[in-house]
Every structure is written in C-alpha cells, then in structure tokens.
Amino acid sequence: MGTPRVHDDGAVRTVTLDRPEAANALHLDDVDTITGAVTDLPDRVRVVVVTGAGDRAFGAGMHLDVFRDAAPGDGRAIITRLATCLRAVRTAPVPTIARLNGACLGAAFELALACDLRVAHAGVRVGLPEVRLGIPSVVDAALLPRYVGAALAQEMVLTGSVHRVDEPGTAPLVNRLVDSPAGLDAAVDDLVATLLAPTREVLSAQKELLETWREQGITGSVEASVDTFAEVFALPATRDAIARYRP
C-alpha cells in the first residue's frame, strides 16, 4: 500500500489511491504516478476511473508530511507538481470518472473536480480545508464555482467548511448519486457503458473543446468548435459511426 494502483480491465483503467491507513492522503510521488496513469494510455483504454482504497475515504488531500518536511521555499515546486497532475487529468484524451467512495478533501477534491464525471454515495463529504493549515486552496479548486456557484464556493474556500454531496448546494457536483456505497459500482458501470459507445476520437476531440470553452470566450470557443468538427468529421472512425447509427 502507498503508491496508487493502476489496473487495466479491457477498455477501463482504474487508478486507486492506496493509503487507506491515512485516508488515502497523497505524497508527491503519488501525484506523479497519477499523472503518468492518465497520460501514458494504450489505445485500448477508453475510460479512466479514479477511486480510493477502502471505504473511509476517496482521499484526504496531500499528506501533512509533504508540508511538514518541506522548506519554506519549496511551495512552488510542490504546487507545480500537483497542478501538472490535475491538468493531465483534466485534459486526458479519454473520459475520466471520479468514484467517490468516502471523504474527498483538499487536493483529492481538486482531483475529483478535474475528472469529467463524478459518482458518489449520499454519505460522501467534500471540502477544501487548506485555509485551516494557513495555505490557500489553489489550482483546480478554481473549477468549484462552476458547479456550486460563487457564494457557496467562496464560503468553502474561505472557511474550509465540509459538506455532504447530497446537500442542495453541493448536489450539482455529482453526476450520479446513489444511496449507499453498495450502489457505486453499478452506477460507474452504467456511465462507463455509455462512454464506450461513441468513438474514442470524438470523445477526445470533445474533451479538448470543453477545455477550450473553459478558457476562452464564446467567439474563440465557436471558432475552435468549427475547426474541431471539420477535423473529426473527416475521420474514418466517424464515417463508420455514422453508417452504424440507428436512432
């Protein structure tokens, strides 16, 4: 236990944060492993699922030892490695699903936000407690207002408050919410089956567009969309998909 486990089962790669005795808290080497797991993908892998070992937590964020053992000047290097990892997850060429099996805090919550889709059970709690350590919530915490709105996002980052995902304010974070941990696998499998239906090429292109839409205004987004559509439309895989399609 320690380094995240990476396991391929057909078209699905599962990345499991594997430090259950510490609520799956992350060391910097773990962050690098996640980066590699979502960038070094064989063609057969069509979906990546990220989850936590055990039933206590998806992840508690960065392990406190990372901060305790660091020199005052190490902050930029630490957060740059995390930012690189989260960008790799966000821009992975295949869809990513966060399977939230327990508490999801700090950097682990940012990891879940970086994933395309999230599946959770009603007891999962999420939050960004960094301010309680005297450090700001950064990198992909910037995505939070898109899901919960500015008011709740500001409360969460300024107070470090923790919320259940079945609360009205945080409910938009989750794509599939099940009553108990027992329902997680079926909900994930259902999403995976849906994501395996389109071509790998079109989902990769669509993900690139989603990133463009986040970064640019409407004019740039539309222009990029036109270019991407033309490129994908010309692919042999697209022609095959159109020929097979039945409404």
Side-chain angles (χ1 to χ4, degrees), residues 91-93 203-213 228 231:
T91 61
L203 289 184
S204 177
Q206 190 68 72
K207 285 201 57 179
E208 289 182 12
L209 280 177
L210 285 168
E211 187 71 5
T212 299
W213 296 348
T228 299
E231 293 168 4

Side-chain angles (χ1 to χ4, degrees), residues 2-3 106 149 155 172 208:
T3 301
E155 177 183 344
E208 289 182 12

Side-chain angles (χ1 to χ4, degrees), residues 1-7 14-27 29-35 37-38 49-62 82 85-86 89 98-112 115:
M1 292 185 290
T3 301
R5 289 182 279 117
V6 180
H7 174 70
T14 300
V15 181
T16 304
L17 311 186
D18 195 22
R19 195 167 283 109
E21 74 283 359
N24 297 321
L26 296 166
H27 288 282
D29 287 346
D30 303 334
V31 169
D32 296 338
T33 298
I34 296 168
T35 302
V38 297
V49 177
V50 184
T51 192
D55 56 10
R56 175 186 173 195
F58 174 79
M62 296 303 296
L82 178 61
C85 171
L86 297 180
V89 172
R99 177 186 178 275
L100 305 182
N101 55 305
C104 181
L105 305 174
F109 186 27
E110 295 170 27
L111 173 59
C115 288

Side-chain angles (χ1 to χ4, degrees), residues 187-219:
V188 170
D189 289 347
D190 180 65
L191 266 181
V192 167
T194 303
L195 292 168
L196 292 180
T199 67
R200 193 181 198 270
E201 291 84 354
V202 73
L203 289 184
S204 177
Q206 190 68 72
K207 285 201 57 179
E208 289 182 12
L209 280 177
L210 285 168
E211 187 71 5
T212 299
W213 296 348
R214 278 190 286 260
E215 294 179 351
Q216 299 188 19
I218 185 63
T219 299

Side-chain angles (χ1 to χ4, degrees), residues 49-136:
V49 177
V50 184
T51 192
D55 56 10
R56 175 186 173 195
F58 174 79
M62 296 303 296
H63 200 291
L64 286 178
D65 287 350
V66 173
F67 304 127
R68 289 171 178 155
D69 297 341
D74 291 342
R76 183 175 295 276
I78 291 171
I79 203 60
T80 296
R81 285 170 75 174
L82 178 61
T84 298
C85 171
L86 297 180
R87 179 170 179 79
V89 172
R90 199 174 66 247
T91 61
V94 301
T96 52
I97 301 172
R99 177 186 178 275
L100 305 182
N101 55 305
C104 181
L105 305 174
F109 186 27
E110 295 170 27
L111 173 59
L113 291 171
C115 288
D116 298 307
L117 303 168
R118 284 152 295 282
V119 176
H121 64 81
V124 168
R125 294 168 65 84
V126 298
L128 295 164
E130 285 90 339
V131 291
R132 299 182 185 181
L133 280 76
I135 57 177

Side-chain angles (χ1 to χ4, degrees), residues 129-239:
E130 285 90 339
V131 291
R132 299 182 185 181
L133 280 76
I135 57 177
S137 295
V138 290
V139 290
D140 281 45
L143 296 170
L144 186 60
R146 296 175 179 269
Y147 295 108
V148 303
L152 182 55
Q154 288 175 192
E155 177 183 344
M156 292 177 73
V157 299
L158 292 175
T159 68
S161 58
V162 176
H163 300 259
R164 284 174 57 118
V165 293
D166 60 347
E167 295 176 15
T170 51
L173 288 166
V174 180
N175 299 90
R176 298 287 189 277
L177 182 66
V178 297
D179 292 334
S180 69
L184 283 174
D185 287 341
V188 170
D189 289 347
D190 180 65
L191 266 181
V192 167
T194 303
L195 292 168
L196 292 180
T199 67
R200 193 181 198 270
E201 291 84 354
V202 73
L203 289 184
S204 177
Q206 190 68 72
K207 285 201 57 179
E208 289 182 12
L209 280 177
L210 285 168
E211 187 71 5
T212 299
W213 296 348
R214 278 190 286 260
E215 294 179 351
Q216 299 188 19
I218 185 63
T219 299
S221 295
V222 169
E223 291 175 353
S225 298
V226 169
D227 291 340
T228 299
F229 182 92
E231 293 168 4
V232 174
F233 193 77
L235 294 174
T238 303
R239 312 312 303 166

